[in-house]
Amino acid sequence: MPLPLTSSHWGTYRVESKGGEPVAVKPLDEDPNPSPIGTAMIDTRTGPCRIRQPMIRRGFLEDGPDSDRKARGREEFVPVSWDIALDLAAQELNRVRDAFGNNAIYAGSYGWASAGRFHHAQSQLRRFMNLFGGCTTSRDSYSYAAAEVILPHIVGPMAELLREHTSWRSIAETGSKVIAFGGMAARNSQMNSGGVGRHSQAEDMSAARKAGAEFINISPSNSDVSGELDSEWIPIHPNTDTALMLALAHTLFVENLHDRVFLKSHCTGFEQFHPYLTGETDGTPKDANWAAAVTGIPAARIISLAREMAAGPTFLNGSWSLTRQQNGEQAIWMLVVLAAMLGGIGKPGTGFGLGLGAVNGIGSDRGYLPWAALPAGRNPKSSFIPVSRIADMLLNPGEKFRYNGGEYAYPDVRLVYWVGGNPFHHHQDINRLIKAWQNIETVIVHDPFWTPTARHADIVLPTTVPLERSDLAASTRDDHLVAMQQVAEPFAMAQNDHDIFAALARRMTAKGKSGTNFEQAFTSGRSEAEWLRHLYEESRERGKEFGHDLPDYESFLVSGIYKLRPPAEPTVMLKSFRTDPVENPLPTPSGRIEIFSEIIAAFGLADNPGHPNWQAPDEWLGASLADKYPLHLITHQPSRRLHSQLDQSAHSRAGKIKGREPCRIHPDDARARGIAEGDLVRLFNDRGACLSAAQFDAGLLRGVIMMATGAWYDPDLENEPECCKHGNPNLLTRDAPTSDIASGPSALTCLVDIERLQREAPAVTIHEAPPIANISRDAPD
């Protein structure tokens, strides 16, 4: 008998057990580049960070929503029974809904919590809250919010573009020149939301290189493209990619290298854009000399690069990081415009890409099927915020905000219910978030571990991990369906999210809400096993529409894994539009690529004239603030964990230096400050500080520091409360919107300075349990 399977965002594994306990995971034989993060699932399943039973913050247990909210994150927790915890959670949900309305409840979640189609934290939360009468939710993602909002105006929804993304196979067969704006860091391709059957990105990139593709890495870091690809590195000042693209476009235009035919047949608005490009409208030609002063790239190299791009098949790839900066919408818009000027959109191996290498699935030739998932239903309430504006909402209820051409008001949120995700990791300016968090009356959190978010909750409900439940793992960006098998009993008193919500719904029913059987509506009368069969059968029916003949459910369970048939031809984004733009128009107002958008121009936003343009960010190496904080901080996805998940694991901790998350710094920048390699350092600006360890990197542009996100927030309460002693860089990043178009996160617009730590380093304590009272309320031993 083969070993049972489990799946995660970083891979699919077979689980080896002894005495009923999982002891090791082994990647699939067919996976050429498995992620070692999988080992962390074993050593984190038990230990001090695992939450043993329901917990209530002591002050909240005694005083309820009138307790001292500043004590969150500092006060001890009291163990309680499930009945007490659920009764209290139900009481608070009812209280806030009845007194303030459903809009006063914010349902926070993030999609990376689970790879399963049923035990998916965000879906479970949304289904429960929608049946409860609705709530305030978020729109878009921290990964690429600016792109999600701007792309539908100019070419089409991002989700559809990613679905038909030009494949590495097409690039290889064309022998293209791949221009990687923002790089294509290999660490990112370990992941895929919803699961990974086979890690193929490195293999696909290498195959393209061997077939003749050339790579150019435009990034502040030489390592942002794998050394095996023999890429040319063009170092660039952070946040200036739009200026570079404009200068490349200027050279194409003035040297008559642009594709006039494509611009006329497939695009609209170039006649409004090129006067800005040449400086006719503002007196500043966006030429190579202008861009050299902004980007730090020599003018001669900008001109020669434009000529090289026009001379042969070229593929322009924009990393998702381009969106996470002030005015990130402009970089993505200009990427599309530059590709349109080259005329390759819709042709094999050319055009533009949206995150090759960002996750494992982008650019792979895989079969597609929109797998069934737990239906969340419809939210009866329309109240929302852009995903990264949570602190704004909590600090400024009633204040107006702009989003995608509309004006809205922040709701007055009294209760936050968080299931899946860690805002004390992925949100910017955590010191500001801490202040905002104190405005919430009640915080309920589901979590398997004592994450910073769980520590800042009032009611903590312990949940299972994937090894402790059965599920179906699948993703539209992957071609494997995996039968995840429960290989361990739930740890201590942990329960599945679904069972927690069902028990809550039962209590709501008992309180007589409109005579509706809330629990029955939430569960649909199905057990876990019945839900899994239902979702499989629905997926099987959908598969017929896409040419996939899935086996019956029993046969699937025997094999445990099913792989979709790959497409016969390489995938080319916008191929049908290229072939016939009249018969296959884009979902834009004109049906064509909108170089100038009447809709965006009508938004009436300052510095947004309706076409892509350069706007200097508030914080960059060319800003006056650089005199005070002369280093640009770039925060990126870590290589040893997924965001902050499993930071407590041995694998994640092995990548730290002296217990801290390291920062990469050019040796010259370090030595100028008296910093030796391996020294403990303090990064700081006006927003906060974090401790780190210096790691020299001569392949980094001077004036730039790079640091992985995801170190669990661990404030130095005794010495410097505004400082994370563990190395969470989001104590430094700015909590400001990309612009009034998308209002996305702009974490990569951030200036700091660094100094050698002069005092004794405080101990990192975040991977220990918080203070737990020696008493319990109706809880078993």
Side-chain angles (χ1 to χ4, degrees), residues 640 650-657 660-662 695:
R640 289 179 169 267
H651 182 67
S652 177
R653 287 185 280 113
K656 301 179 191 291
I657 299 175
R660 327 285 161 161
E661 193 66 32
Q695 194 171 50

Side-chain angles (χ1 to χ4, degrees), residues 464-475:
T464 56
V465 296
L467 293 172
E468 298 164 355
R469 57 193 184 228
S470 298
D471 210 335
L472 299 173
S475 168

Side-chain angles (χ1 to χ4, degrees), residues 255-266:
E255 295 191 5
N256 199 27
L257 299 175
H258 57 302
D259 191 328
R260 294 175 179 269
V261 174
F262 184 81
L263 291 173
K264 184 176 181 180
S265 60
H266 290 73

Side-chain angles (χ1 to χ4, degrees), residues 33-283:
N33 192 27
S35 171
I37 295 175
T39 60
M41 294 190 291
I42 299 296
D43 77 88
T44 59
R45 200 184 74 81
T46 60
C49 284
R50 197 72 199 269
I51 304 173
R52 300 192 61 86
Q53 70 181 80
M55 300 278 180
I56 310 294
R57 182 171 63 85
R58 179 183 280 277
F60 191 85
L61 188 61
E62 295 172 352
D63 300 319
D66 294 325
S67 67
D68 179 8
R69 301 169 197 166
K70 293 182 180 179
R72 290 187 185 126
R74 308 185 184 197
E75 193 172 32
E76 70 177 0
F77 286 89
V78 179
V80 299
S81 67
W82 271 107
D83 280 340
I84 287 179
L86 292 170
D87 285 347
L88 187 54
Q91 173 186 308
E92 284 301 291
L93 284 164
N94 282 328
R95 178 186 69 83
V96 172
R97 178 200 59 199
D98 296 343
F100 305 103
N102 285 78
N103 287 349
I105 301 171
Y106 179 74
S109 186
Y110 214 57
W112 288 100
S114 168
R117 308 301 288 181
F118 176 63
H119 291 296
H120 180 250
Q122 188 178 75
S123 299
Q124 294 283 348
L125 174 63
R126 296 271 170 93
R127 179 178 177 88
F128 176 86
M129 292 307 309
N130 290 345
L131 289 168
F132 183 60
C135 59
T136 295
T137 59
S138 64
R139 291 187 185 175
D140 310 320
S141 72
Y142 277 85
S143 294
Y144 43 61
E148 287 179 276
V149 176
I150 197 71
L151 283 169
H153 292 290
I154 60 177
V155 66
M158 187 167 185
E160 294 182 14
L161 296 172
L162 291 177
R163 174 186 166 186
E164 60 169 317
H165 201 285
T166 298
S167 66
W168 282 113
R169 180 180 164 197
S170 179
I171 292 169
E173 292 182 1
T174 308
S176 304
K177 185 184 294 292
V178 180
I179 314 296
F181 291 97
M184 296 183 299
R187 60 179 174 266
N188 299 334
S189 60
Q190 296 180 88
M191 317 300 176
N192 198 63
S193 180
V196 180
R198 189 175 189 277
H199 290 87
S200 61
Q201 277 286 317
E203 187 179 64
D204 290 341
M205 291 180 183
S206 179
R209 179 71 187 99
K210 290 176 181 177
E214 298 178 15
F215 291 80
I216 296 180
N217 173 25
I218 299 176
S219 166
S221 173
N222 190 17
S223 62
D224 272 353
V225 170
S226 173
E228 298 177 357
L229 301 180
D230 302 318
S231 65
E232 177 191 353
W233 179 36
I234 300 180
I236 185 173
H237 292 159
N239 288 200
T240 66
D241 297 85
T242 301
L244 173 60
M245 293 181 208
L246 284 166
L248 293 168
H250 183 276
T251 298
L252 295 177
F253 182 73
V254 299
E255 295 191 5
N256 199 27
L257 299 175
H258 57 302
D259 191 328
R260 294 175 179 269
V261 174
F262 184 81
L263 291 173
K264 184 176 181 180
S265 60
H266 290 73
C267 307
T268 184
F270 187 70
E271 61 277 8
Q272 287 103 322
F273 170 68
H274 75 70
Y276 168 77
L277 193 65
T278 60
E280 181 181 337
T281 57
D282 63 3

Side-chain angles (χ1 to χ4, degrees), residues 603-623:
F603 287 174
L605 303 177
D607 301 322
N608 282 284
H611 58 69
N613 68 112
W614 161 252
Q615 303 166 41
D618 295 335
E619 297 184 30
W620 68 299
L621 294 177

Side-chain angles (χ1 to χ4, degrees), residues 377-517:
R378 186 185 65 84
N379 188 354
K381 301 299 179 182
S382 59
S383 178
F384 79 97
I385 60 168
V387 66
S388 64
R389 307 272 49 87
I390 181 170
D392 286 353
M393 172 186 71
L394 297 175
L395 289 168
N396 307 297
E399 184 175 288
K400 303 291 186 183
F401 69 92
R402 301 290 296 271
Y403 172 79
N404 203 15
E407 185 174 85
Y408 306 88
Y410 289 121
D412 186 3
V413 165
R414 304 301 180 100
L415 183 150
V416 167
Y417 202 141
W418 209 284
V419 184
N422 180 7
F424 289 87
H425 145 66
H426 61 241
H427 194 71
Q428 285 73 60
D429 195 349
I430 289 177
N431 284 317
R432 185 172 186 259
L433 179 64
I434 291 290
K435 295 176 183 176
W437 209 250
Q438 294 167 5
N439 286 353
I440 312 168
E441 294 178 359
T442 305
V443 180
I444 305 172
V445 168
H446 292 200
D447 212 313
F449 306 111
W450 281 117
T451 62
T453 300
R455 293 166 193 259
H456 285 82
D458 300 315
I459 302 172
V460 181
L461 306 178
T463 55
T464 56
V465 296
L467 293 172
E468 298 164 355
R469 57 193 184 228
S470 298
D471 210 335
L472 299 173
S475 168
T476 54
R477 296 177 185 167
D478 197 73
D479 52 7
H480 287 70
L481 174 66
V482 177
M484 299 170 61
Q485 295 172 256
Q486 181 180 343
V487 295
E489 291 299 314
F491 176 80
M493 294 171 62
Q495 294 189 19
N496 296 334
D497 291 309
H498 184 77
D499 295 333
I500 295 171
F501 282 125
L504 267 179
R506 190 179 314 130
R507 283 161 169 77
M508 305 300 190
T509 304
K511 293 183 181 298
K513 182 181 183 303
S514 304
T516 302
N517 191 324

Side-chain angles (χ1 to χ4, degrees), residues 6-55:
T6 194
S7 189
S8 67
H9 302 298
W10 47 86
T12 300
Y13 304 87
R14 294 197 177 275
V15 185
E16 181 180 342
S17 297
K18 289 184 180 179
E21 289 292 313
V23 295
V25 293
K26 300 179 179 180
L28 297 180
D29 291 338
E30 67 176 85
D31 193 342
N33 192 27
S35 171
I37 295 175
T39 60
M41 294 190 291
I42 299 296
D43 77 88
T44 59
R45 200 184 74 81
T46 60
C49 284
R50 197 72 199 269
I51 304 173
R52 300 192 61 86
Q53 70 181 80
M55 300 278 180

